[in-house]
Amino acid sequence: LGPAAVATSSQRPPDPSRTTMGAMPDDPTAALAPTAPELRLGAAAADYEAAVARARDEGWAERLWDRDPSLWSANPKVQEAISDRLGWLDAPAHFADRIAALEGFGEGARDAGFTAAVVGGMGGSSLAPDVFHRTFGTTEGWLDLRVLDSTDPAAVAAVVDDLDPLATLWIVASKSGTTTEPLAFQADAWDRAERALRARNAPRTEHAGELMIAITDPGRSVEAIPHHDELREVFLNPPDIGGRYSALTYVGLVPASLIGLDLDALLASALAMAGACREPDPEANPGVSLGLALGSLAKAGRDKLTIVADSAIDSFGAWLEQLIAESTGKHGTGIVPVDREPLGPLEAYGDDRVFVRLTLAGDSTGSSAGDAFVDAAGAAGHPIIRIAIADPIDLGAEAFRWEVATAIAGAVLGIDPFDQPNVEEAKNLTRKVLAAAESGTTPPPPPAPIVSDSSSGLTLHGDAALRLTGGDGTVAGELARHLARRKPNAYLALQAFIAPSPAADAALDRIRLLLRDATRCATTAGYGPRFLHSTGQLHKGGPATGWFLQLTSDHPVDREIPGWPYTFGRLIDAQAEGDFAAIESHDLPILRVHLSDVERGLAALEAALREAIAAT
């Protein structure tokens, strides 16, 4: 197993093998002069200027840094809660003082013989590590990083089963310490490690805890994690930082250290952005100006924030999606982030769009197509926001910019951007579904499907509105009925409670393109249960314009959760059932399509949607 202790001394010299993508100043805290985004807002320009004038008159930038909760609410209870969620403003400086210890931990893990690390987390606890790894990869000689944020048994197997349990560092990432999915992943990893140790006839003094660390909050959070006092290391974040604002905390920095990323450079960019975001003039402030634009556009009906990013940094969109959706989607308002939607002809886009163009200097792969599309969209009257990124390492700066912007957009929209009032709905309904498994009783049967087609392997389950009105009994006919229920300004959300894969990604992209081009509605897609910790809040609490197509599948090979009363397959099925019920309870249109075989079922669904669209 190697030594359990790792060197974390602040005197440890830096490792020259770490990845630094661009040249940094001699002083890593020196300002890199971040600039405000380029805004071409068209008809919404007057609304933006009014928001700027208000922010200038009321000192919004200063009040943000003064931690003044009245910026978001006049309610004393809400203000008290907000005051406990503003620690992210200090994160770049706070963790810059811990770089030597963090890099020492990563070097110690590498030197101890670990060859891989798996982050078991959800939403804000998994997306930042995923962005860093997809953007920078693993520096030669460092740990291969994998992110596990699906409870589908096939997905769990694909991530972990080919790894050596005794050479893999497991990361349990949960702010609350009680998040179901990371604890299920931990139970699985602990069991595999213990079995591997016994197979090796390891001494009883060696245990799975030496292969596992946790990233959580102090107090009840860490105490809730099983075996917390047996783990190799526990990283405790400041408790006043919410999960979706945690990219520049241990959540992102511990995995970044393990893949050999230069944390000095990453946090230097974030510190420079934090300094620039103290600028009192709203128009010159790179975060405040962006937030004022986002909020003003959403209030004017341009609430579908469509991200067009260069390929080398396009994973950043998934992190933005969870930050914006969960922060702004509540009380019937919000911004709908549209990430990785395939580009199409301009006539396929409605007048509820705003396009954000993220460019990376030196990235020519698809960059000209993105620029040409956004230029044409701007010429056609769509609002355009451009942000140029000089180097991938500046994603540290962009994370901070967008955190400020999201907080300011919340002020424009008149909501608390730090709570998530609807997230527990699906969780509570999921718990009810699982209670039967825990008690050993048989749950009541679900309503009969509205279509069961053996030739395609598709079974359709409708919400009450579809069940109580008759259709033609065909897959295409029921899809057409469901499509007819969308609102003119809808967003069409694909909720895939299936195992992620490149083939599934491609199929979902084709379905999104098909739906978007036929309806001119924005499309989103997310894998469950990951999206429940990302866009799930928006789905239930945001604008009541969502239209939902839920995908589920059989589990030919299920997987036990060691010590738990149900399997991974039963867990993800219950999560799908719980979210379906939560969406339906908000009187939003939802249809479930169950796939007996994922690959064949997705192809059949695409064909049926083409038929449904042709018939309308």
mmCIF file of all heavy atoms in Angstrom, residues 120-122 148 150-152 156 160 170-174 177-192 212 224-226 434 529 559-569 571-572 575:
data_model
loop_
_atom_site.group_PDB
_atom_site.id
_atom_site.type_symbol
_atom_site.label_atom_id
_atom_site.label_comp_id
_atom_site.label_asym_id
_atom_site.label_seq_id
_atom_site.Cartn_x
_atom_site.Cartn_y
_atom_site.Cartn_z
ATOM 1 N N GLY A 120 -15.806 10.108 -6.434
ATOM 2 C CA GLY A 120 -17.198 9.710 -6.294
ATOM 3 C C GLY A 120 -17.981 10.888 -5.742
ATOM 4 O O GLY A 120 -17.912 11.182 -4.550
ATOM 5 N N GLY A 121 -18.672 11.596 -6.598
ATOM 6 C CA GLY A 121 -19.389 12.799 -6.172
ATOM 7 C C GLY A 121 -20.521 13.082 -7.128
ATOM 8 O O GLY A 121 -20.728 12.372 -8.115
ATOM 9 N N MET A 122 -21.261 14.151 -6.844
ATOM 10 C CA MET A 122 -22.391 14.532 -7.694
ATOM 11 C C MET A 122 -22.418 16.050 -7.822
ATOM 12 O O MET A 122 -22.084 16.771 -6.880
ATOM 13 C CB MET A 122 -23.705 14.053 -7.085
ATOM 14 C CG MET A 122 -23.819 12.540 -6.919
ATOM 15 S SD MET A 122 -23.709 11.594 -8.451
ATOM 16 C CE MET A 122 -25.201 12.131 -9.276
ATOM 17 N N LEU A 148 -16.891 9.384 -11.163
ATOM 18 C CA LEU A 148 -18.060 8.515 -11.095
ATOM 19 C C LEU A 148 -19.227 9.323 -10.543
ATOM 20 O O LEU A 148 -19.234 9.697 -9.374
ATOM 21 C CB LEU A 148 -17.773 7.304 -10.203
ATOM 22 C CG LEU A 148 -18.931 6.306 -10.019
ATOM 23 C CD1 LEU A 148 -19.434 5.793 -11.355
ATOM 24 C CD2 LEU A 148 -18.481 5.140 -9.131
ATOM 25 N N SER A 150 -22.657 8.478 -11.779
ATOM 26 C CA SER A 150 -23.848 7.782 -12.239
ATOM 27 C C SER A 150 -24.057 6.552 -11.383
ATOM 28 O O SER A 150 -23.095 5.827 -11.080
ATOM 29 C CB SER A 150 -23.712 7.365 -13.708
ATOM 30 O OG SER A 150 -24.797 6.518 -14.086
ATOM 31 N N THR A 151 -25.308 6.291 -11.004
ATOM 32 C CA THR A 151 -25.609 5.085 -10.238
ATOM 33 C C THR A 151 -26.081 3.947 -11.129
ATOM 34 O O THR A 151 -26.467 2.884 -10.614
ATOM 35 C CB THR A 151 -26.687 5.385 -9.175
ATOM 36 O OG1 THR A 151 -27.813 6.020 -9.795
ATOM 37 C CG2 THR A 151 -26.134 6.278 -8.094
ATOM 38 N N ASP A 152 -26.073 4.129 -12.440
ATOM 39 C CA ASP A 152 -26.379 3.026 -13.330
ATOM 40 C C ASP A 152 -25.321 1.938 -13.130
ATOM 41 O O ASP A 152 -24.120 2.219 -13.162
ATOM 42 C CB ASP A 152 -26.370 3.499 -14.786
ATOM 43 C CG ASP A 152 -26.803 2.413 -15.749
ATOM 44 O OD1 ASP A 152 -25.991 1.496 -15.997
ATOM 45 O OD2 ASP A 152 -27.938 2.470 -16.238
ATOM 46 N N VAL A 156 -21.160 2.298 -13.303
ATOM 47 C CA VAL A 156 -20.237 2.037 -12.193
ATOM 48 C C VAL A 156 -19.182 1.024 -12.628
ATOM 49 O O VAL A 156 -17.985 1.216 -12.405
ATOM 50 C CB VAL A 156 -21.007 1.536 -10.961
ATOM 51 C CG1 VAL A 156 -20.034 1.198 -9.829
ATOM 52 C CG2 VAL A 156 -22.011 2.579 -10.483
ATOM 53 N N VAL A 160 -14.937 1.644 -12.733
ATOM 54 C CA VAL A 160 -14.060 1.116 -11.681
ATOM 55 C C VAL A 160 -13.575 -0.306 -11.878
ATOM 56 O O VAL A 160 -12.538 -0.676 -11.293
ATOM 57 C CB VAL A 160 -14.756 1.223 -10.305
ATOM 58 C CG1 VAL A 160 -15.179 2.650 -10.029
ATOM 59 C CG2 VAL A 160 -15.951 0.276 -10.191
ATOM 60 N N TRP A 170 -9.447 6.440 -3.746
ATOM 61 C CA TRP A 170 -10.861 6.739 -3.840
ATOM 62 C C TRP A 170 -11.158 8.050 -3.124
ATOM 63 O O TRP A 170 -10.737 8.240 -1.977
ATOM 64 C CB TRP A 170 -11.706 5.622 -3.243
ATOM 65 C CG TRP A 170 -13.155 5.863 -3.461
ATOM 66 C CD1 TRP A 170 -14.018 6.444 -2.597
ATOM 67 C CD2 TRP A 170 -13.895 5.586 -4.645
ATOM 68 N NE1 TRP A 170 -15.271 6.548 -3.164
ATOM 69 C CE2 TRP A 170 -15.219 6.030 -4.423
ATOM 70 C CE3 TRP A 170 -13.576 5.006 -5.867
ATOM 71 C CZ2 TRP A 170 -16.215 5.905 -5.391
ATOM 72 C CZ3 TRP A 170 -14.567 4.884 -6.829
ATOM 73 C CH2 TRP A 170 -15.870 5.332 -6.575
ATOM 74 N N ILE A 171 -11.894 8.962 -3.780
ATOM 75 C CA ILE A 171 -12.224 10.267 -3.211
ATOM 76 C C ILE A 171 -13.727 10.338 -2.986
ATOM 77 O O ILE A 171 -14.509 10.318 -3.936
ATOM 78 C CB ILE A 171 -11.778 11.416 -4.137
ATOM 79 C CG1 ILE A 171 -10.282 11.314 -4.435
ATOM 80 C CG2 ILE A 171 -12.110 12.768 -3.515
ATOM 81 C CD1 ILE A 171 -9.795 12.288 -5.499
ATOM 82 N N VAL A 172 -14.142 10.405 -1.733
ATOM 83 C CA VAL A 172 -15.548 10.570 -1.383
ATOM 84 C C VAL A 172 -15.805 12.063 -1.268
ATOM 85 O O VAL A 172 -15.291 12.724 -0.357
ATOM 86 C CB VAL A 172 -15.890 9.869 -0.046
ATOM 87 C CG1 VAL A 172 -17.377 10.003 0.259
ATOM 88 C CG2 VAL A 172 -15.475 8.414 -0.085
ATOM 89 N N ALA A 173 -16.572 12.622 -2.183
ATOM 90 C CA ALA A 173 -16.788 14.073 -2.239
ATOM 91 C C ALA A 173 -18.258 14.372 -1.976
ATOM 92 O O ALA A 173 -19.121 14.062 -2.802
ATOM 93 C CB ALA A 173 -16.370 14.628 -3.599
ATOM 94 N N SER A 174 -18.542 14.967 -0.828
ATOM 95 C CA SER A 174 -19.915 15.311 -0.462
ATOM 96 C C SER A 174 -19.881 16.416 0.570
ATOM 97 O O SER A 174 -19.330 16.229 1.659
ATOM 98 C CB SER A 174 -20.644 14.088 0.114
ATOM 99 O OG SER A 174 -21.874 14.457 0.701
ATOM 100 N N GLY A 177 -21.956 15.231 3.486
ATOM 101 C CA GLY A 177 -21.549 13.949 4.048
ATOM 102 C C GLY A 177 -22.637 12.905 4.015
ATOM 103 O O GLY A 177 -22.406 11.763 4.410
ATOM 104 N N THR A 178 -23.819 13.275 3.538
ATOM 105 C CA THR A 178 -24.956 12.355 3.524
ATOM 106 C C THR A 178 -25.492 12.092 2.128
ATOM 107 O O THR A 178 -26.504 11.401 1.994
ATOM 108 C CB THR A 178 -26.099 12.904 4.400
ATOM 109 O OG1 THR A 178 -26.535 14.170 3.872
ATOM 110 C CG2 THR A 178 -25.648 13.102 5.841
ATOM 111 N N THR A 179 -24.858 12.625 1.102
ATOM 112 C CA THR A 179 -25.351 12.455 -0.263
ATOM 113 C C THR A 179 -25.375 10.968 -0.623
ATOM 114 O O THR A 179 -24.363 10.272 -0.487
ATOM 115 C CB THR A 179 -24.469 13.223 -1.256
ATOM 116 O OG1 THR A 179 -24.283 14.565 -0.794
ATOM 117 C CG2 THR A 179 -25.110 13.254 -2.627
ATOM 118 N N THR A 180 -26.502 10.501 -1.084
ATOM 119 C CA THR A 180 -26.692 9.066 -1.289
ATOM 120 C C THR A 180 -25.677 8.477 -2.251
ATOM 121 O O THR A 180 -25.057 7.430 -1.968
ATOM 122 C CB THR A 180 -28.118 8.806 -1.822
ATOM 123 O OG1 THR A 180 -29.065 9.232 -0.848
ATOM 124 C CG2 THR A 180 -28.329 7.328 -2.118
ATOM 125 N N GLU A 181 -25.481 9.108 -3.405
ATOM 126 C CA GLU A 181 -24.657 8.507 -4.440
ATOM 127 C C GLU A 181 -23.192 8.326 -4.011
ATOM 128 O O GLU A 181 -22.654 7.213 -4.152
ATOM 129 C CB GLU A 181 -24.747 9.331 -5.733
ATOM 130 C CG GLU A 181 -26.153 9.391 -6.322
ATOM 131 C CD GLU A 181 -26.967 10.578 -5.833
ATOM 132 O OE1 GLU A 181 -26.565 11.169 -4.794
ATOM 133 O OE2 GLU A 181 -27.974 10.916 -6.469
ATOM 134 N N PRO A 182 -22.512 9.361 -3.508
ATOM 135 C CA PRO A 182 -21.129 9.142 -3.081
ATOM 136 C C PRO A 182 -20.986 8.076 -1.996
ATOM 137 O O PRO A 182 -19.996 7.331 -1.982
ATOM 138 C CB PRO A 182 -20.698 10.521 -2.563
ATOM 139 C CG PRO A 182 -21.566 11.484 -3.269
ATOM 140 C CD PRO A 182 -22.879 10.781 -3.423
ATOM 141 N N LEU A 183 -21.974 7.982 -1.105
ATOM 142 C CA LEU A 183 -21.890 6.964 -0.061
ATOM 143 C C LEU A 183 -22.094 5.568 -0.640
ATOM 144 O O LEU A 183 -21.489 4.601 -0.163
ATOM 145 C CB LEU A 183 -22.912 7.251 1.038
ATOM 146 C CG LEU A 183 -22.720 8.572 1.798
ATOM 147 C CD1 LEU A 183 -23.661 8.644 2.992
ATOM 148 C CD2 LEU A 183 -21.269 8.754 2.251
ATOM 149 N N ALA A 184 -22.936 5.447 -1.673
ATOM 150 C CA ALA A 184 -23.076 4.157 -2.358
ATOM 151 C C ALA A 184 -21.778 3.790 -3.064
ATOM 152 O O ALA A 184 -21.327 2.630 -3.018
ATOM 153 C CB ALA A 184 -24.229 4.215 -3.354
ATOM 154 N N PHE A 185 -21.147 4.769 -3.727
ATOM 155 C CA PHE A 185 -19.862 4.514 -4.388
ATOM 156 C C PHE A 185 -18.804 4.102 -3.357
ATOM 157 O O PHE A 185 -17.984 3.217 -3.612
ATOM 158 C CB PHE A 185 -19.392 5.759 -5.144
ATOM 159 C CG PHE A 185 -20.355 6.281 -6.169
ATOM 160 C CD1 PHE A 185 -20.431 7.651 -6.433
ATOM 161 C CD2 PHE A 185 -21.191 5.439 -6.873
ATOM 162 C CE1 PHE A 185 -21.302 8.149 -7.376
ATOM 163 C CE2 PHE A 185 -22.084 5.929 -7.829
ATOM 164 C CZ PHE A 185 -22.132 7.293 -8.076
ATOM 165 N N GLN A 186 -18.812 4.755 -2.202
ATOM 166 C CA GLN A 186 -17.849 4.424 -1.158
ATOM 167 C C GLN A 186 -18.042 2.988 -0.663
ATOM 168 O O GLN A 186 -17.071 2.248 -0.467
ATOM 169 C CB GLN A 186 -17.975 5.393 0.023
ATOM 170 C CG GLN A 186 -16.950 5.119 1.127
ATOM 171 C CD GLN A 186 -17.297 5.811 2.435
ATOM 172 O OE1 GLN A 186 -18.444 6.154 2.680
ATOM 173 N NE2 GLN A 186 -16.301 6.007 3.289
ATOM 174 N N ALA A 187 -19.300 2.601 -0.459
ATOM 175 C CA ALA A 187 -19.565 1.241 0.012
ATOM 176 C C ALA A 187 -19.035 0.214 -0.982
ATOM 177 O O ALA A 187 -18.450 -0.811 -0.597
ATOM 178 C CB ALA A 187 -21.066 1.051 0.232
ATOM 179 N N ASP A 188 -19.225 0.492 -2.279
ATOM 180 C CA ASP A 188 -18.739 -0.411 -3.317
ATOM 181 C C ASP A 188 -17.217 -0.453 -3.318
ATOM 182 O O ASP A 188 -16.615 -1.545 -3.371
ATOM 183 C CB ASP A 188 -19.263 0.055 -4.673
ATOM 184 C CG ASP A 188 -18.818 -0.831 -5.810
ATOM 185 O OD1 ASP A 188 -19.323 -1.955 -5.926
ATOM 186 O OD2 ASP A 188 -17.946 -0.394 -6.602
ATOM 187 N N ALA A 189 -16.574 0.705 -3.238
ATOM 188 C CA ALA A 189 -15.112 0.759 -3.271
ATOM 189 C C ALA A 189 -14.509 0.114 -2.028
ATOM 190 O O ALA A 189 -13.489 -0.591 -2.109
ATOM 191 C CB ALA A 189 -14.658 2.213 -3.380
ATOM 192 N N TRP A 190 -15.113 0.356 -0.880
ATOM 193 C CA TRP A 190 -14.590 -0.223 0.370
ATOM 194 C C TRP A 190 -14.615 -1.752 0.300
ATOM 195 O O TRP A 190 -13.648 -2.435 0.668
ATOM 196 C CB TRP A 190 -15.414 0.269 1.550
ATOM 197 C CG TRP A 190 -14.837 -0.076 2.891
ATOM 198 C CD1 TRP A 190 -14.960 -1.249 3.570
ATOM 199 C CD2 TRP A 190 -14.019 0.770 3.713
ATOM 200 N NE1 TRP A 190 -14.287 -1.198 4.753
ATOM 201 C CE2 TRP A 190 -13.698 0.029 4.874
ATOM 202 C CE3 TRP A 190 -13.546 2.071 3.578
ATOM 203 C CZ2 TRP A 190 -12.917 0.560 5.904
ATOM 204 C CZ3 TRP A 190 -12.767 2.606 4.606
ATOM 205 C CH2 TRP A 190 -12.455 1.851 5.743
ATOM 206 N N ASP A 191 -15.733 -2.289 -0.193
ATOM 207 C CA ASP A 191 -15.866 -3.742 -0.287
ATOM 208 C C ASP A 191 -14.841 -4.322 -1.251
ATOM 209 O O ASP A 191 -14.204 -5.351 -0.948
ATOM 210 C CB ASP A 191 -17.281 -4.079 -0.742
ATOM 211 C CG ASP A 191 -17.503 -5.564 -0.895
ATOM 212 O OD1 ASP A 191 -17.561 -6.273 0.134
ATOM 213 O OD2 ASP A 191 -17.620 -6.037 -2.051
ATOM 214 N N ARG A 192 -14.654 -3.699 -2.399
ATOM 215 C CA ARG A 192 -13.678 -4.216 -3.363
ATOM 216 C C ARG A 192 -12.267 -4.165 -2.801
ATOM 217 O O ARG A 192 -11.472 -5.096 -2.990
ATOM 218 C CB ARG A 192 -13.756 -3.425 -4.675
ATOM 219 C CG ARG A 192 -14.976 -3.790 -5.513
ATOM 220 C CD ARG A 192 -15.000 -3.077 -6.846
ATOM 221 N NE ARG A 192 -15.096 -1.634 -6.713
ATOM 222 C CZ ARG A 192 -14.107 -0.783 -6.903
ATOM 223 N NH1 ARG A 192 -12.917 -1.227 -7.263
ATOM 224 N NH2 ARG A 192 -14.289 0.514 -6.743
ATOM 225 N N MET A 212 -8.449 5.577 0.700
ATOM 226 C CA MET A 212 -9.619 6.433 0.538
ATOM 227 C C MET A 212 -9.424 7.751 1.270
ATOM 228 O O MET A 212 -8.860 7.792 2.359
ATOM 229 C CB MET A 212 -10.844 5.701 1.103
ATOM 230 C CG MET A 212 -12.177 6.286 0.750
ATOM 231 S SD MET A 212 -13.533 5.165 1.272
ATOM 232 C CE MET A 212 -13.297 3.798 0.125
ATOM 233 N N ALA A 224 -20.738 12.125 9.306
ATOM 234 C CA ALA A 224 -21.743 11.297 8.635
ATOM 235 C C ALA A 224 -21.135 10.318 7.646
ATOM 236 O O ALA A 224 -21.809 9.372 7.218
ATOM 237 C CB ALA A 224 -22.757 12.188 7.919
ATOM 238 N N ILE A 225 -19.894 10.523 7.248
ATOM 239 C CA ILE A 225 -19.255 9.655 6.258
ATOM 240 C C ILE A 225 -18.764 8.383 6.950
ATOM 241 O O ILE A 225 -17.983 8.461 7.908
ATOM 242 C CB ILE A 225 -18.091 10.375 5.569
ATOM 243 C CG1 ILE A 225 -18.617 11.568 4.759
ATOM 244 C CG2 ILE A 225 -17.311 9.428 4.671
ATOM 245 C CD1 ILE A 225 -17.536 12.399 4.103
ATOM 246 N N PRO A 226 -19.202 7.216 6.505
ATOM 247 C CA PRO A 226 -18.727 5.971 7.124
ATOM 248 C C PRO A 226 -17.202 5.876 7.108
ATOM 249 O O PRO A 226 -16.554 6.282 6.131
ATOM 250 C CB PRO A 226 -19.367 4.888 6.240
ATOM 251 C CG PRO A 226 -20.592 5.536 5.667
ATOM 252 C CD PRO A 226 -20.200 6.974 5.447
ATOM 253 N N LEU A 434 -37.768 3.836 -2.341
ATOM 254 C CA LEU A 434 -36.798 2.890 -1.799
ATOM 255 C C LEU A 434 -37.213 2.322 -0.449
ATOM 256 O O LEU A 434 -36.680 1.293 -0.017
ATOM 257 C CB LEU A 434 -35.430 3.570 -1.663
ATOM 258 C CG LEU A 434 -34.741 3.926 -2.979
ATOM 259 C CD1 LEU A 434 -33.511 4.786 -2.715
ATOM 260 C CD2 LEU A 434 -34.348 2.667 -3.756
ATOM 261 N N PRO A 529 -28.371 10.046 -12.321
ATOM 262 C CA PRO A 529 -28.923 11.111 -11.474
ATOM 263 C C PRO A 529 -28.066 12.380 -11.411
ATOM 264 O O PRO A 529 -28.367 13.276 -10.630
ATOM 265 C CB PRO A 529 -28.961 10.441 -10.098
ATOM 266 C CG PRO A 529 -27.772 9.533 -10.114
ATOM 267 C CD PRO A 529 -27.686 9.006 -11.527
ATOM 268 N N ARG A 559 -25.892 -4.600 -9.916
ATOM 269 C CA ARG A 559 -24.720 -4.553 -9.041
ATOM 270 C C ARG A 559 -25.190 -4.270 -7.620
ATOM 271 O O ARG A 559 -25.921 -3.299 -7.383
ATOM 272 C CB ARG A 559 -23.760 -3.452 -9.523
ATOM 273 C CG ARG A 559 -22.408 -3.406 -8.829
ATOM 274 C CD ARG A 559 -21.605 -2.225 -9.356
ATOM 275 N NE ARG A 559 -20.239 -2.213 -8.887
ATOM 276 C CZ ARG A 559 -19.196 -2.682 -9.545
ATOM 277 N NH1 ARG A 559 -19.369 -3.211 -10.752
ATOM 278 N NH2 ARG A 559 -17.971 -2.642 -9.042
ATOM 279 N N GLU A 560 -24.753 -5.098 -6.684
ATOM 280 C CA GLU A 560 -25.096 -4.892 -5.286
ATOM 281 C C GLU A 560 -24.391 -3.652 -4.738
ATOM 282 O O GLU A 560 -23.286 -3.307 -5.171
ATOM 283 C CB GLU A 560 -24.688 -6.107 -4.446
ATOM 284 C CG GLU A 560 -25.382 -7.402 -4.826
ATOM 285 C CD GLU A 560 -26.856 -7.387 -4.479
ATOM 286 O OE1 GLU A 560 -27.222 -6.740 -3.462
ATOM 287 O OE2 GLU A 560 -27.640 -8.011 -5.220
ATOM 288 N N ILE A 561 -25.037 -2.990 -3.802
ATOM 289 C CA ILE A 561 -24.366 -1.970 -2.995
ATOM 290 C C ILE A 561 -24.077 -2.634 -1.655
ATOM 291 O O ILE A 561 -25.014 -2.886 -0.878
ATOM 292 C CB ILE A 561 -25.244 -0.724 -2.797
ATOM 293 C CG1 ILE A 561 -25.703 -0.161 -4.143
ATOM 294 C CG2 ILE A 561 -24.474 0.342 -2.004
ATOM 295 C CD1 ILE A 561 -26.657 1.017 -4.030
ATOM 296 N N PRO A 562 -22.831 -2.983 -1.393
ATOM 297 C CA PRO A 562 -22.522 -3.795 -0.205
ATOM 298 C C PRO A 562 -23.068 -3.173 1.082
ATOM 299 O O PRO A 562 -22.849 -1.989 1.360
ATOM 300 C CB PRO A 562 -20.992 -3.834 -0.193
ATOM 301 C CG PRO A 562 -20.617 -3.678 -1.636
ATOM 302 C CD PRO A 562 -21.635 -2.720 -2.202
ATOM 303 N N GLY A 563 -23.820 -3.968 1.818
ATOM 304 C CA GLY A 563 -24.371 -3.525 3.089
ATOM 305 C C GLY A 563 -25.653 -2.727 2.969
ATOM 306 O O GLY A 563 -26.216 -2.319 3.993
ATOM 307 N N TRP A 564 -26.131 -2.483 1.763
ATOM 308 C CA TRP A 564 -27.355 -1.716 1.548
ATOM 309 C C TRP A 564 -28.483 -2.678 1.155
ATOM 310 O O TRP A 564 -28.229 -3.745 0.587
ATOM 311 C CB TRP A 564 -27.151 -0.677 0.448
ATOM 312 C CG TRP A 564 -26.216 0.454 0.821
ATOM 313 C CD1 TRP A 564 -25.085 0.371 1.584
ATOM 314 C CD2 TRP A 564 -26.330 1.811 0.416
ATOM 315 N NE1 TRP A 564 -24.488 1.602 1.675
ATOM 316 C CE2 TRP A 564 -25.234 2.510 0.972
ATOM 317 C CE3 TRP A 564 -27.233 2.510 -0.362
ATOM 318 C CZ2 TRP A 564 -25.030 3.867 0.772
ATOM 319 C CZ3 TRP A 564 -27.036 3.874 -0.568
ATOM 320 C CH2 TRP A 564 -25.950 4.545 -0.006
ATOM 321 N N PRO A 565 -29.729 -2.285 1.388
ATOM 322 C CA PRO A 565 -30.839 -3.197 1.106
ATOM 323 C C PRO A 565 -31.316 -3.190 -0.337
ATOM 324 O O PRO A 565 -32.326 -3.818 -0.651
ATOM 325 C CB PRO A 565 -31.942 -2.684 2.041
ATOM 326 C CG PRO A 565 -31.675 -1.220 2.158
ATOM 327 C CD PRO A 565 -30.170 -1.087 2.127
ATOM 328 N N TYR A 566 -30.635 -2.483 -1.222
ATOM 329 C CA TYR A 566 -31.037 -2.461 -2.626
ATOM 330 C C TYR A 566 -29.790 -2.327 -3.495
ATOM 331 O O TYR A 566 -28.691 -2.032 -3.022
ATOM 332 C CB TYR A 566 -32.024 -1.324 -2.915
ATOM 333 C CG TYR A 566 -31.680 0.008 -2.279
ATOM 334 C CD1 TYR A 566 -30.770 0.872 -2.880
ATOM 335 C CD2 TYR A 566 -32.270 0.392 -1.080
ATOM 336 C CE1 TYR A 566 -30.450 2.081 -2.306
ATOM 337 C CE2 TYR A 566 -31.952 1.614 -0.493
ATOM 338 C CZ TYR A 566 -31.049 2.445 -1.109
ATOM 339 O OH TYR A 566 -30.728 3.652 -0.523
ATOM 340 N N THR A 567 -29.966 -2.557 -4.777
ATOM 341 C CA THR A 567 -28.875 -2.555 -5.742
ATOM 342 C C THR A 567 -28.714 -1.180 -6.391
ATOM 343 O O THR A 567 -29.564 -0.295 -6.243
ATOM 344 C CB THR A 567 -29.153 -3.580 -6.849
ATOM 345 O OG1 THR A 567 -30.334 -3.161 -7.556
ATOM 346 C CG2 THR A 567 -29.368 -4.977 -6.271
ATOM 347 N N PHE A 568 -27.629 -1.028 -7.157
ATOM 348 C CA PHE A 568 -27.465 0.202 -7.942
ATOM 349 C C PHE A 568 -28.597 0.338 -8.964
ATOM 350 O O PHE A 568 -29.101 1.449 -9.192
ATOM 351 C CB PHE A 568 -26.117 0.199 -8.665
ATOM 352 C CG PHE A 568 -24.968 0.694 -7.821
ATOM 353 C CD1 PHE A 568 -24.030 -0.193 -7.314
ATOM 354 C CD2 PHE A 568 -24.833 2.035 -7.527
ATOM 355 C CE1 PHE A 568 -22.967 0.251 -6.537
ATOM 356 C CE2 PHE A 568 -23.779 2.501 -6.758
ATOM 357 C CZ PHE A 568 -22.837 1.602 -6.251
ATOM 358 N N GLY A 569 -29.002 -0.762 -9.558
ATOM 359 C CA GLY A 569 -30.090 -0.689 -10.526
ATOM 360 C C GLY A 569 -31.385 -0.206 -9.903
ATOM 361 O O GLY A 569 -32.102 0.620 -10.483
ATOM 362 N N LEU A 571 -31.584 1.612 -7.258
ATOM 363 C CA LEU A 571 -31.383 3.003 -6.849
ATOM 364 C C LEU A 571 -31.650 3.952 -8.008
ATOM 365 O O LEU A 571 -32.415 4.925 -7.870
ATOM 366 C CB LEU A 571 -29.971 3.202 -6.305
ATOM 367 C CG LEU A 571 -29.566 4.640 -5.957
ATOM 368 C CD1 LEU A 571 -30.523 5.265 -4.959
ATOM 369 C CD2 LEU A 571 -28.122 4.678 -5.438
ATOM 370 N N ILE A 572 -31.051 3.704 -9.169
ATOM 371 C CA ILE A 572 -31.246 4.648 -10.276
ATOM 372 C C ILE A 572 -32.688 4.599 -10.777
ATOM 373 O O ILE A 572 -33.251 5.637 -11.162
ATOM 374 C CB ILE A 572 -30.246 4.384 -11.430
ATOM 375 C CG1 ILE A 572 -30.265 5.578 -12.404
ATOM 376 C CG2 ILE A 572 -30.519 3.084 -12.150
ATOM 377 C CD1 ILE A 572 -29.163 5.547 -13.446
ATOM 378 N N GLN A 575 -34.588 6.763 -8.445
ATOM 379 C CA GLN A 575 -34.298 8.175 -8.687
ATOM 380 C C GLN A 575 -35.069 8.680 -9.898
ATOM 381 O O GLN A 575 -35.565 9.816 -9.899
ATOM 382 C CB GLN A 575 -32.785 8.360 -8.865
ATOM 383 C CG GLN A 575 -32.028 8.144 -7.566
ATOM 384 C CD GLN A 575 -30.510 8.139 -7.754
ATOM 385 O OE1 GLN A 575 -29.986 7.485 -8.649
ATOM 386 N NE2 GLN A 575 -29.814 8.875 -6.902
#
